[in-house]
C-alpha cells in the first residue's frame, strides 16, 4: 500500500507532485466485461468469474471505485469503459485488422462470434 501523507495546510492527500484535490481525480476502469471472464466467452475461463483472476480483482476494483467516489464526493469520478469489437476483420481499424484477420481471429470480432455460434443475446451479454 502507498503511504499517503496529508498536507497540514490543505488537509488533502500529498504526493510527490503536490496535493491531490478531489476535483482533479478520476478513476477509469477498462473493459470489465464478461467477455474477459465468462465461461461462455472464447476469452473467458472455463469456470467463469469464480475461476478467473477477476474473482480476486473485481472486489478490489469495487473497493477502489468506492474510495474514489468517497474522496471526490462525485459519482462521475469513476468511469467504466466498454470493449467494442469490430464488426468484422475488414472493419477493424489499424493493428486490429491483423488481430482479427481470419488466421488470427478466434472469435473476437462480432462476425467471429457469430461464426462460433454465439447468439445476438449472448454477444450482448458478453459485451
Amino acid at each position: 500500500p502507498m503511504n499517503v501523507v496529508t498536507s497540514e495546510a490543505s488537509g488533502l492527500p500529498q504526493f510527490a507532485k503536490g496535493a491531490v484535490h478531489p476535483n482533479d481525480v478520476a478513476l477509469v476502469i477498462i473493459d470489465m466485461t464478461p467477455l474477459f471472464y465468462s465461461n461462455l466467452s472464447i476469452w473467458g475461463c472455463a469456470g467463469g468469474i469464480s475461476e478467473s483472476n477477476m474473482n480476486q480483482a473485481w472486489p478490489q476494483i469495487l473497493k477502489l471505485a468506492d474510495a474514489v467516489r468517497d474522496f471526490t464526493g462525485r459519482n462521475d469520478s469513476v468511469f467504466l469503459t466498454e470493449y467494442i469489437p469490430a464488426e468484422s476483420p475488414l472493419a477493424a481499424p489499424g493493428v486490429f485488422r491483423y488481430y482479427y484477420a481470419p488466421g488470427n481471429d478466434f472469435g473476437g470480432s462480432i462476425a467471429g462470434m457469430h461464426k462460433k455460434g454465439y447468439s445476438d443475446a449472448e454477444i450482448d451479454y458478453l459485451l
Side-chain angles (χ1 to χ4, degrees):
M2 184 183 300
N3 185 14
V4 179
V5 177
T6 303
S7 166
E8 290 180 29
S10 67
L12 295 172
Q14 186 76 31
F15 294 94
K17 295 197 178 215
V20 178
H21 193 277
N23 290 342
D24 299 330
V25 173
L27 173 66
V28 180
I29 302 169
I30 300 173
D31 296 344
M32 296 297 295
T33 64
L35 181 67
F36 299 113
Y37 58 77
S38 173
N39 60 331
L40 296 177
S41 173
I42 53 163
W43 290 339
C45 183
I49 194 169
S50 63
E51 296 296 321
S52 77
N53 292 335
M54 291 305 302
N55 188 44
Q56 293 175 1
W58 190 234
Q60 298 304 314
I61 292 166
L62 290 176
K63 282 171 57 176
L64 178 59
D66 286 342
V68 168
R69 275 193 295 268
D70 288 347
F71 175 68
T72 65
R74 303 182 342 263
N75 287 331
D76 68 350
S77 61
V78 177
F79 299 88
L80 293 167
T81 68
E82 178 181 8
Y83 177 77
I84 302 174
E87 287 292 325
S88 71
L90 292 177
V95 72
F96 280 99
R97 188 167 286 181
Y98 170 80
Y99 185 73
Y100 291 132
N104 302 326
D105 183 15
F106 52 94
S109 67
I110 299 292
M113 286 187 235
H114 279 128
K115 227 183 247 185
K116 295 280 185 186
Y118 289 102
S119 69
D120 287 334
E122 289 171 322
I123 293 170
D124 287 345
Y125 164 73
L126 291 172
L127 300 176

